[in-house]
Amino acid sequence: MADKCEEGPAIGIDLGTTYSCVGVWQTDRVEIIVNGQGNRTTPSYVAFTDNERLVGDAAKNQIARNPINSIFDAKRLIGRRFSDPWVQRDINLWPFKVIGGLGDKPKIVVTYKGEKKQFVAEEISSMVLSKLGEFAEAYLGTAVKSAVVTVPANFNNTQRKATKDAGRIAGLNVLQILNEPTAAAIAYGLERVDVSLLNTKDDIFEVNAVAGGTHLGGEDFDNRMVKHFVDVFKRQHKKDISGNAKALRRLRTACERAKRILSFEIETTIDVDCLYEGIDFCATITRAKFEELNMDLFRSSIHLVEKCLTDAKFDKRCIQDVVLTGGSSRIPKIQQLLQAFFDGKELSKSINPDEAVAYGAAVQAAKLSGLGNERVRDIVPLDVRESDMSVVIPRNTAIPTKMKEFYTTAADNQTVVSISVYEGERARTLDNNWLGKFELQGIPAAPRGVAKLKVCFDIDANGILNVSAKEKTTGTSCKITITNHKARLSSEEINRMVREAEIFKAEDDEHRERAKAKAALENFAYSMRNTVNDKEICPKLAPAHKKKIDAAVVRVIKWLDGIQLAEVVEFEEKLLGLKLICNPLIWALNI
């Protein structure tokens, strides 16, 4: 079951790898909430400087000058082990440092306010979630405590639990962890994907199958372009920039921009001033070359579509609508391959692919909080799990679900049975992901095969797995909730991070107040300088008075340019002092 909704509105959050989005149900429709810069999506970036912590657009905008302390792609670390081959591969592509922590948990190392700090992926994601919550609160004018958060369909139990932990650290009551394809399906169905196959009938949205990969997104396409241009730079200038984090970051930013342009142009230019050792870099890339660099990734996406249909036992000719979500679905070659796979069928583009997942999450949040209209309350999303695979729960089983299986002892007079829980699709347990184990004791001694053991697997709406076992004759039982193995956060760690998140919030509030005070002083100083230099006002002002105002303004501007940090009270004192000098002289003009 979903967690109980706290009072107030509940929001829907698409916590993306590269960009995130937040929506809320209001006046019988979903409103996508803009951020502080007026954008409908927010970069999933967090940056640490000598003075402050930045989240979203502010973090991404400064990444070229501060690459080693600017964190992105945290979603690719969440719920994973440091030794995971994918983690090891990704580490080589990131400018920031990742080390192995206790229990093989990845930790991100940054320098913040002159000190070395280590963060787990849940903490970084919680900072993004917290910022999105702030945007929602500013928009709604009230506190927001509850949210539905989406994850890729192929996220395993560990990654789902870690995502929920991130929400808790951010101070959010996560009502449900919802599959991204299901959220997109709700968005599409209400208005009338990873890859999903959806059945809609009478407001029941049943996801028949899903298939996905964590390395088939926009950042992966950018990586191919970056590698290509690193090679081009090496050929042109005989210099290797692959080890320079700042140069790579600036090049990546240019590549991301070029990728977007190539969705509607056939050619564009990569142009980066002083990319490395004072060398300007300029090169052209065509859409055809971009497609060549990424063709294997594009084809992998189509293979996932084919796998999804096979799993659901559907013929592609039975598909009525093909819906696209995610920014990369705008890439012309992906659309072309997809349309060809479906024998020329037109693709549906009726919803914004960047916002569809957040839209669906907001609808589900409204349903769970009881705030939606009758149409929303009647929606029944039947989700599926791809990775919770065992002899008990097959892949693509709708969740929430509860299944049971009967087992027996393997040896004569056996009184204890050890039950291990795995997820995965490999034939041997050593090739799958171990989730946890527990022991059922007190089994009556009997010949092998006599004892009857009932094992129940219960997956709730968040994808969290509970396993229980019971011996039938004695009623002896035990259970386990898969929440705290090596890749998980303990309750103590979560509580510590919640406290630290509160500290960060206090620091952020303090910085915001300083910024406001500084802006007020700057605005007044420059306003006075413009006033006394105005061609209509200047002749009316006595030369001595103009000189006095000019000197006061110059002192303040010089002080502002020379300081790194100052308290709110210092800015306020400077502003008051400047006003005491300037205002009487200006008011005397009766302007």
Side-chain angles (χ1 to χ4, degrees):
M1 296 293 292
D3 288 351
K4 182 179 178 181
C5 179
E6 299 183 14
E7 288 187 9
I11 57 176
I13 296 177
D14 170 17
L15 181 61
T17 305
T18 310
Y19 284 88
S20 295
C21 187
V22 59
V24 67
W25 181 270
Q26 269 202 326
T27 59
D28 289 341
R29 58 172 295 183
V30 169
E31 296 285 350
I32 298 299
I33 298 170
V34 299
N35 62 22
Q37 285 69 42
N39 300 320
R40 294 167 72 87
T41 58
T42 298
S44 303
Y45 283 60
V46 178
F48 301 88
T49 73
D50 291 337
N51 303 323
E52 59 185 317
R53 182 194 63 171
L54 304 170
V55 182
D57 288 293
K60 188 173 183 182
N61 290 342
Q62 57 80 70
I63 196 170
R65 64 179 182 272
N66 184 31
I68 62 173
N69 295 309
S70 300
I71 315 305
F72 55 95
D73 279 1
K75 189 172 177 179
R76 296 189 177 185
L77 284 174
I78 200 164
R80 290 186 178 274
R81 294 185 175 92
F82 180 73
S83 57
D84 186 315
W86 281 112
V87 171
Q88 291 300 309
R89 196 202 77 164
D90 286 338
I91 284 174
N92 295 323
L93 301 173
W94 292 326
F96 50 89
K97 186 178 181 181
V98 180
I99 62 172
L102 187 65
D104 200 28
K105 195 169 187 66
K107 288 203 166 185
I108 299 162
V109 182
V110 299
T111 301
Y112 178 42
K113 294 188 174 180
E115 297 180 8
K116 289 289 184 183
K117 297 278 188 180
Q118 295 182 5
F119 297 97
V120 295
E122 289 91 328
E123 291 177 283
I124 300 298
S125 292
S126 77
M127 295 170 192
V128 177
L129 290 171
S130 180
K131 180 61 70 173
L132 295 171
E134 288 179 16
F135 296 147
E137 289 181 342
Y139 174 79
L140 296 168
T142 186
V144 173
K145 298 295 183 183
S146 300
V148 168
V149 181
T150 64
V151 295
N154 64 328
F155 255 30
N156 60 32
N157 193 70
T158 304
Q159 292 167 304
R160 289 164 187 268
K161 175 61 173 58
T163 303
K164 193 171 186 182
D165 289 344
R168 181 178 167 189
I169 296 167
L172 291 171
N173 171 36
V174 180
L175 300 174
Q176 185 174 351
I177 297 295
L178 185 66
N179 279 349
E180 290 168 3
T182 307
I186 291 173
Y188 175 72
L190 198 71
E191 288 291 322
R192 328 184 268 289
V193 358
D194 315 73
V195 175
S196 67
L197 185 62
L198 171 75
N199 240 339
T200 65
K201 183 179 180 181
D202 299 328
D203 290 329
I204 296 178
F205 300 90
E206 180 176 4
V207 182
N208 298 95
V210 296
T214 57
H215 287 76
L216 285 175
E219 288 277 354
D220 301 288
F221 305 143
D222 296 343
N223 289 340
R224 294 292 179 86
M225 292 179 71
V226 169
K227 185 178 183 305
H228 166 70
F229 285 116
V230 166
D231 292 340
V232 171
F233 191 89
K234 188 184 295 185
R235 287 198 304 270
Q236 289 180 354
H237 303 286
K238 304 298 186 292
K239 294 181 182 293
D240 185 3
I241 66 171
S242 59
N244 188 293
K246 185 173 290 188
L248 287 178
R249 185 62 248 179
R250 296 181 67 211
L251 179 59
R252 181 180 298 277
T253 300
C255 287
E256 182 185 4
R257 189 183 305 116
K259 176 191 66 179
R260 293 172 182 267
I261 293 172
L262 289 174
S263 288
F264 52 88
E265 299 286 351
I266 61 171
E267 183 178 283
T268 190
T269 300
I270 298 285
D271 195 349
V272 186
D273 293 337
C274 297
L275 176 61
Y276 184 69
E277 294 184 355
I279 301 173
D280 296 338
F281 180 61
C282 184
T284 299
I285 185 167
T286 63
R287 183 187 293 177
K289 182 62 179 179
F290 172 72
E291 291 170 354
E292 177 195 335
L293 293 172
N294 291 286
M295 188 56 70
D296 60 320
L297 297 179
F298 295 163
R299 294 196 185 281
S300 293
S301 301
I302 305 304
H303 291 156
L304 288 176
V305 175
E306 189 171 15
K307 180 178 183 294
C308 193
L309 288 165
T310 301
D311 288 346
K313 299 180 175 58
F314 266 78
D315 189 295
K316 64 182 180 181
R317 290 170 295 185
C318 299
I319 302 299
Q320 293 177 312
D321 292 290
V322 181
V323 185
L324 305 178
T325 65
S328 293
S329 65
R330 291 190 176 92
I331 295 174
K333 192 62 178 182
I334 291 179
Q335 294 185 2
Q336 179 188 335
L337 291 171
L338 195 57
Q339 191 165 5
F341 177 80
F342 284 104
D343 301 322
K345 186 176 187 62
E346 287 295 322
L347 308 178
S348 176
K349 304 171 186 176
S350 60
I351 55 178
N352 188 323
D354 295 321
E355 302 170 4
V357 173
Y359 188 113
V363 172
Q364 184 67 355
K367 173 183 170 62
L368 295 177
S369 62
L371 299 178
N373 60 18
E374 185 177 354
R375 178 79 190 280
V376 169
R377 290 193 295 271
D378 289 342
I379 287 176
V380 182
L382 298 179
D383 214 340
V384 298
R385 288 293 309 276
E386 180 184 17
S387 299
D388 282 347
M389 173 68 179
S390 74
V391 295
V392 181
I393 302 179
R395 179 162 56 89
N396 286 326
T397 296
I399 62 169
T401 188
K402 188 173 184 178
M403 292 192 179
K404 62 184 178 182
E405 191 65 62
F406 290 92
Y407 296 95
T408 188
T409 50
D412 292 340
N413 300 316
Q414 184 176 347
T415 60
V416 178
V417 169
S418 179
I419 299 170
S420 291
V421 184
Y422 293 83
E423 62 181 353
E425 299 188 36
R426 301 290 294 276
R428 300 183 303 171
T429 57
L430 62 88
D431 293 322
N432 291 315
N433 184 35
W434 180 80
L435 297 177
K437 66 183 268 187
F438 63 104
E439 289 186 345
L440 179 61
Q441 301 180 351
I443 300 171
R448 166 183 176 175
V450 171
K452 298 297 182 185
L453 314 175
K454 182 173 75 171
V455 180
C456 293
F457 286 69
D458 185 356
I459 304 180
D460 66 16
N462 298 306
I464 308 300
L465 176 63
N466 293 277
V467 186
S468 61
K470 184 176 183 179
E471 199 279 320
K472 292 194 68 177
T473 59
T474 64
T476 300
S477 65
C478 61
K479 64 181 180 179
I480 184 174
T481 299
I482 308 298
T483 58
N484 275 324
H485 63 77
K486 289 182 179 180
R488 302 278 174 79
L489 292 173
S490 66
S491 297
E492 291 77 13
E493 287 176 309
I494 292 174
N495 291 333
R496 174 184 61 80
M497 292 172 187
V498 168
R499 292 193 298 270
E500 290 182 355
E502 286 300 314
I503 294 172
F504 279 132
K505 184 178 186 301
E507 290 179 349
D508 290 346
D509 291 343
E510 182 183 342
H511 176 76
R512 195 176 294 114
E513 290 302 313
R514 281 202 304 268
K516 285 171 60 178
K518 181 181 180 182
L521 177 58
E522 282 183 331
N523 290 340
F524 186 79
Y526 285 106
S527 173
M528 283 297 101
R529 189 170 72 175
N530 294 335
T531 298
V532 297
N533 289 320
D534 185 276
K535 62 182 181 180
E536 293 184 1
I537 297 175
C538 186
K540 300 177 183 179
L541 194 63
H545 292 172
K546 181 179 185 302
K547 184 177 180 181
K548 188 174 183 179
I549 293 175
D550 279 337
V553 168
V554 167
R555 283 197 302 271
V556 167
I557 292 175
K558 187 175 181 180
W559 179 79
L560 284 168
D561 290 341
I563 63 164
Q564 293 296 325
L565 284 175
E567 298 301 321
V568 172
V569 67
E570 294 180 78
F571 291 117
E572 291 176 341
E573 288 175 352
K574 291 287 183 183
L575 178 58
L576 178 60
L578 188 58
K579 284 183 175 180
L580 288 174
I581 294 172
C582 299
N583 284 347
L585 301 177
I586 297 297
W587 292 340
L589 299 176
N590 295 318
I591 298 174

